[in-house]
Amino acid sequence: MNNFTFYTPTKIVFGKGAENSTGELTASFGGKKALVHYGGGSAVRSGLLIRVIDSLKKAGVKSVALGGVVPNPRLSKVYEGIELCRKEGVDFVIAVGGGSVIDSSKAIALGTVNEGDVWDFYIGKREAQRMLPVGAVLTMAAAGSEMSDSSVITKEEGALKRFYGHEMMRCKFSVLNPELTMTLPDYQTASGCVDILTHTMERYFCDGDSMQLTDGIAESLMRTVIHNARVLSKTPNDYNARAEIMWASSLSHNDLTGCGSGASDWATHMLEHELGGAFDVAHGAGLAALWGSWARYVCGKNISRFARFGANVMGVTGANEQETAVNGIKAVENFYREINMPTSIKELGLELTDEQISALAYKCSDGDSHTVGSFMKLTRIDMENIYKAAR
Amino acid sequence: MNNFTFYTPTKIVFGKGAENSTGELTASFGGKKALVHYGGGSAVRSGLLIRVIDSLKKAGVKSVALGGVVPNPRLSKVYEGIELCRKEGVDFVIAVGGGSVIDSSKAIALGTVNEGDVWDFYIGKREAQRMLPVGAVLTMAAAGSEMSDSSVITKEEGALKRFYGHEMMRCKFSVLNPELTMTLPDYQTASGCVDILTHTMERYFCDGDSMQLTDGIAESLMRTVIHNARVLSKTPNDYNARAEIMWASSLSHNDLTGCGSGASDWATHMLEHELGGAFDVAHGAGLAALWGSWARYVCGKNISRFARFGANVMGVTGANEQETAVNGIKAVENFYREINMPTSIKELGLELTDEQISALAYKCSDGDSHTVGSFMKLTRIDMENIYKAAR
């Protein structure tokens, strides 16, 4: 068992109408003037943006709005937000949207109050010293950014998708109303479910001893996601299923499912980040397309762990551990097909050449300079093999 | 499914040697001069107190110490702490001990910076406006006070054991080193395990719809506690078992196991508080003595819930729900016997007269003025019946 630190100071307000507490929450955390940051027109059309701004007004919090965040959120939009926050004297950033909007908000909150280029933090050049407080009104259960300590931003030049994590990057509050996710297209809902599931898988397939309590929580969470993703693929407006998925989203990525269980893996995420950065695929769909190939490639490193996963999460059996492990991986892929998620890169609508795969692996290994993953440390060659198997 | 708020800002540092980070943690949360509050001589004899004070010194935090907290912590000690903190200009309270020490620390932290009598908060006379920050170095896994928002204090005059809860009462940090619990007598360890289990049972047997994810987490946690309590009853120095129990202690009482699941019950706790306040029994042992009688008395209100508990937590079966429910209750009592915990008041070493039981029920119902519990709302008469069944 490994030592660990667990720190999730984000205040969660969960349920119907929760967004109406945004103003009160912002004021309680000291906000006087907020940037309300959002994505496309749906937050406007649904009236959510107005409700949030009204709630701020009622609590005496001024606001300015900035929309236009896209999936795989862009550095250029972050720069625009930073300039606006500085000009307007903003002291709080409120994300109204999904993971992309929250990640963009976190980057803006970093960039506004640190000197120099905010991108430096994402490429590991230096550490941030401070940050504006961030709150979130979540409209998509997927990224877990509403409780996580990280943000992923894509720099258009070179299609570089990079991650930055810091303790202070957890939201002060997150408002989680499952009803707000009901207008999502089914594909986005399913893609979100894959992302949530993968956040726990990345921690579950760890390098090191596991912790019985953590494993039990992780397995419960994964079963819950799989069950309710199936429900939503048939009845997208089931409130309880939306709620289970939304809460799972937050718990899946606030580190609860990794406590004491050693270094988590993240190889599937790293491989997907290259794919998503280069081709702009939906993140969860990209994970679904790659996971099975990753799992088959690495499972031999600890077949017992995959067998346990197969039995406890996917409910499969086998004549021996090897068979149970393989059946578990197949069951995940069958589940993905059932909810209309891809299990290959081709099913993402991409036909990659060997050269393109080499380029992805080269970038993912930062020019062949490091490995990714911890369950199995993947070299550039391993990455190529997995991309090819997933092709 | 019910709306909920979830807020656990306590920073957890978990594992071997974690206590050495106390100074750094205190300083990071702004502490300049700390009260180090502790119980009996064991924290002194083991050298823990010195290690904590050294860690504070290294981080540039001054300290004064106050020992002498006893189980069912006394209001008189709280007053002594408040006076000392005011005299010494203390701005941070560090609890070195178990739940009693943490609860006493929280009360001191409240009393130091609010005017008037701190007891007012515990008897519901008024609300606290502010509080000194509190950190904990935990030496006993039981009360969950290290992540909870509450404190229980006993006023000697009238043997009144009362509770106060407030969002700001969560510790800023808690240092959890499972090794620090190894010197506990077996009876205390087992009593702690019962307390932890009961914190989740109180939430699990709720009035209202449950949430699949919350139920799954709660059931995992209860299975983990039962399994590892058995391990510790045979091998008290098993580090991993100590760690599982310690982490379960925190998660059991930080509200995670109650999210979205309606009003939790707390009747067993209320009944035990009267018993513990009047006769000074170990809290967990008191809960063990009462729980079976409570469960048999109320299970008819929702037999399916008890049947689910029996099947998923205790692993029992039955010809029908009623039988599975009853077998589950029996299995809990057998488990208590196995770890040398009482299943009756007599086994606590008490022989209560009808008059004594009437007095307990009268106090528990605040002079027959309110019910306790939500799974079944218990009147004064119900309370008498349960005490008598547990006699």
Side-chain angles (χ1 to χ4, degrees):
Chain A
M1 190 176 302
N2 294 269
N3 289 2
F4 64 89
T5 298
F6 180 71
Y7 187 42
T8 58
T10 306
K11 184 169 188 172
I12 300 293
V13 177
F14 192 101
K16 293 177 185 176
E19 64 275 21
N20 299 321
S21 58
T22 309
E24 201 184 311
L25 285 163
T26 306
S28 76
F29 285 104
K32 304 256 185 280
K33 184 165 187 179
L35 172 72
V36 179
H37 197 35
Y38 62 100
S42 72
V44 180
R45 283 193 304 276
S46 69
L48 174 61
L49 207 67
I50 294 295
R51 288 209 301 288
V52 167
I53 290 169
D54 275 356
S55 166
L56 289 167
K57 254 187 216 159
K58 268 186 206 159
V61 181
K62 290 179 193 164
S63 64
V64 286
L66 176 67
V69 182
V70 293
N72 299 314
R74 305 295 197 269
L75 183 60
S76 58
K77 180 58 70 177
V78 171
Y79 290 148
E80 192 185 336
I82 293 169
E83 204 185 314
L84 181 64
C85 284
R86 287 178 175 167
K87 197 182 85 183
E88 294 280 346
V90 158
D91 62 8
F92 209 102
V93 182
I94 295 169
V96 180
S100 297
V101 176
I102 302 175
D103 283 5
S104 185
S105 296
K106 287 178 177 177
I108 291 170
L110 285 166
T112 301
V113 289
N114 287 284
E115 284 177 20
D117 189 350
V118 69
W119 186 244
D120 289 352
F121 308 135
Y122 288 78
I123 55 172
K125 210 166 149 184
R126 57 196 178 98
E127 290 286 328
Q129 300 303 311
R130 59 196 73 81
M131 185 175 170
L132 287 183
V134 175
V137 179
L138 195 64
T139 61
M140 180 178 175
S145 195
E146 68 275 12
M147 271 191 111
S148 82
D149 66 353
S150 57
S151 152
V152 179
I153 296 293
T154 297
K155 184 178 186 173
E156 293 90 325
E157 191 193 330
L160 289 173
K161 189 170 178 175
R162 291 292 176 264
F163 157 100
Y164 184 53
H166 193 294
E167 182 177 280
M168 67 184 166
M169 286 168 72
R170 299 197 190 264
C171 290
K172 294 293 175 196
F173 68 82
S174 287
V175 159
L176 274 56
N177 177 355
E179 290 181 321
L180 299 181
T181 69
M182 285 188 185
T183 52
L184 278 177
D186 293 346
Y187 187 82
Q188 291 299 325
T189 296
S191 176
C193 291
V194 175
D195 197 12
I196 296 165
L197 189 61
T198 312
H199 286 147
T200 288
M201 285 169 158
E202 299 280 19
R203 292 173 167 92
Y204 187 82
F205 295 104
C206 63
D207 173 36
D209 296 338
S210 62
M211 195 165 176
Q212 186 182 347
L213 181 51
T214 299
D215 277 350
I217 291 171
E219 289 165 0
S220 286
L221 189 147
M222 291 189 280
R223 288 194 300 266
T224 299
V225 172
I226 290 167
H227 174 83
N228 289 288
R230 283 181 171 137
V231 172
L232 292 180
S233 74
K234 293 187 182 69
T235 50
N237 286 341
D238 185 310
Y239 177 82
N240 284 352
R242 291 265 167 204
E244 298 284 355
I245 292 290
M246 196 168 214
W247 189 217
S249 159
S250 300
L251 295 186
S252 194
H253 205 29
N254 77 351
D255 292 334
L256 179 69
T257 60
C259 290
S261 295
S264 46
D265 191 74
W266 300 104
T268 312
H269 263 78
M270 301 306 282
L271 292 167
E272 196 289 325
H273 279 182
E274 293 313 330
L275 202 62
F279 300 104
D280 233 4
V281 303
H283 175 55
L287 294 169
L290 295 171
W291 187 82
S293 297
W294 168 81
R296 266 184 291 272
Y297 196 81
V298 307
C299 67
K301 291 288 278 185
N302 185 349
I303 202 74
S304 301
R305 192 77 181 150
F306 271 88
R308 179 185 164 132
F309 171 82
N312 292 0
V313 179
M314 304 312 296
V316 301
T317 53
N320 51 43
E321 282 197 331
Q322 174 71 30
E323 210 176 285
T324 310
V326 170
N327 287 345
I329 297 168
K330 278 186 200 158
V332 171
E333 292 185 317
N334 287 337
F335 159 66
Y336 287 159
R337 288 185 195 105
E338 209 180 316
I339 62 167
N340 299 309
M341 282 285 106
T343 55
S344 70
I345 295 172
K346 194 176 172 186
E347 286 169 353
L348 285 169
L350 300 171
E351 304 233 4
L352 299 190
T353 63
D354 286 354
E355 289 68 35
Q356 285 174 309
I357 281 178
S358 293
L360 289 176
Y362 186 81
K363 272 173 70 182
C364 193
S365 62
D366 239 341
D368 212 359
S369 73
H370 65 67
T371 60
V372 302
S374 72
F375 188 85
M376 174 173 163
K377 289 186 200 317
L378 304 180
T379 64
R380 182 178 60 81
I381 301 298
D382 294 323
M383 297 173 204
E384 280 195 16
N385 290 339
I386 292 170
Y387 280 128
K388 281 179 184 166
R391 187 150 50 169
Chain B
M1 189 176 302
N2 295 269
N3 289 2
F4 64 89
T5 297
F6 180 71
Y7 187 42
T8 58
T10 306
K11 185 170 188 172
I12 300 292
V13 178
F14 192 102
K16 293 177 186 178
E19 65 273 23
N20 299 321
S21 58
T22 309
E24 201 184 309
L25 285 163
T26 305
S28 77
F29 284 103
K32 304 255 184 281
K33 184 165 185 179
L35 172 72
V36 179
H37 197 36
Y38 63 100
S42 72
V44 180
R45 284 193 303 275
S46 69
L48 173 61
L49 206 69
I50 294 293
R51 290 210 299 289
V52 167
I53 290 170
D54 275 356
S55 166
L56 289 166
K57 254 188 215 156
K58 269 186 205 158
V61 181
K62 289 179 194 162
S63 64
V64 285
L66 175 67
V69 182
V70 293
N72 299 314
R74 306 294 197 269
L75 183 60
S76 58
K77 179 60 71 178
V78 170
Y79 289 147
E80 190 185 337
I82 292 169
E83 203 185 316
L84 182 64
C85 284
R86 287 179 175 167
K87 196 181 86 186
E88 295 279 346
V90 159
D91 63 6
F92 210 102
V93 182
I94 295 170
V96 181
S100 297
V101 176
I102 302 174
D103 283 5
S104 185
S105 297
K106 287 178 178 177
I108 292 171
L110 285 166
T112 302
V113 289
N114 287 284
E115 284 177 19
D117 189 351
V118 69
W119 187 245
D120 289 351
F121 307 136
Y122 287 80
I123 54 171
K125 208 164 150 187
R126 57 198 177 98
E127 289 287 327
Q129 299 304 310
R130 59 196 75 79
M131 185 177 168
L132 288 183
V134 175
V137 179
L138 194 65
T139 61
M140 180 178 175
S145 194
E146 68 276 11
M147 272 189 110
S148 83
D149 65 353
S150 58
S151 152
V152 179
I153 296 293
T154 297
K155 184 178 184 173
E156 293 91 327
E157 193 192 329
L160 289 173
K161 189 168 176 177
R162 291 291 176 266
F163 156 100
Y164 185 52
H166 193 293
E167 182 178 281
M168 68 184 167
M169 285 169 72
R170 299 195 191 266
C171 290
K172 293 295 175 195
F173 67 81
S174 287
V175 158
L176 274 56
N177 177 355
E179 289 181 321
L180 299 182
T181 69
M182 286 188 184
T183 53
L184 277 178
D186 292 346
Y187 187 82
Q188 291 299 325
T189 297
S191 176
C193 291
V194 175
D195 197 13
I196 296 164
L197 189 60
T198 312
H199 285 147
T200 289
M201 285 170 159
E202 299 279 19
R203 292 171 168 93
Y204 187 81
F205 294 105
C206 63
D207 173 36
D209 297 338
S210 62
M211 195 167 177
Q212 186 183 346
L213 181 50
T214 298
D215 277 350
I217 291 172
E219 289 165 359
S220 286
L221 189 147
M222 292 189 279
R223 288 193 301 267
T224 299
V225 172
I226 291 168
H227 174 83
N228 289 288
R230 283 182 171 134
V231 171
L232 291 180
S233 74
K234 293 190 181 65
T235 50
N237 287 339
D238 185 309
Y239 177 82
N240 284 352
R242 291 264 167 205
E244 299 284 355
I245 292 290
M246 196 168 213
W247 190 216
S249 159
S250 301
L251 296 186
S252 194
H253 205 30
N254 76 352
D255 293 333
L256 178 69
T257 60
C259 289
S261 295
S264 44
D265 190 74
W266 301 103
T268 313
H269 263 77
M270 301 306 281
L271 292 167
E272 197 290 324
H273 279 182
E274 292 314 328
L275 203 61
F279 301 102
D280 232 6
V281 304
H283 175 55
L287 294 169
L290 295 171
W291 187 81
S293 297
W294 168 81
R296 265 184 292 271
Y297 195 81
V298 307
C299 68
K301 292 287 279 184
N302 186 347
I303 202 76
S304 302
R305 192 75 182 152
F306 271 87
R308 182 187 162 132
F309 171 82
N312 291 1
V313 179
M314 303 312 296
V316 301
T317 53
N320 51 43
E321 281 198 331
Q322 174 71 30
E323 208 178 288
T324 310
V326 169
N327 288 344
I329 297 169
K330 279 186 199 156
V332 172
E333 292 186 316
N334 287 337
F335 159 66
Y336 287 158
R337 290 185 194 105
E338 209 182 316
I339 62 168
N340 300 311
M341 282 285 106
T343 56
S344 70
I345 295 173
K346 193 177 173 184
E347 287 169 355
L348 285 170
L350 299 172
E351 304 233 5
L352 298 189
T353 63
D354 286 355
E355 289 67 35
Q356 284 174 310
I357 281 178
S358 292
L360 289 176
Y362 187 79
K363 272 173 70 182
C364 192
S365 61
D366 240 341
D368 212 359
S369 72
H370 65 66
T371 60
V372 302
S374 73
F375 187 84
M376 173 172 164
K377 289 187 203 313
L378 304 180
T379 63
R380 183 178 60 79
I381 302 296
D382 294 323
M383 297 174 203
E384 280 195 15
N385 290 338
I386 292 170
Y387 280 128
K388 281 178 184 167
R391 187 148 50 167

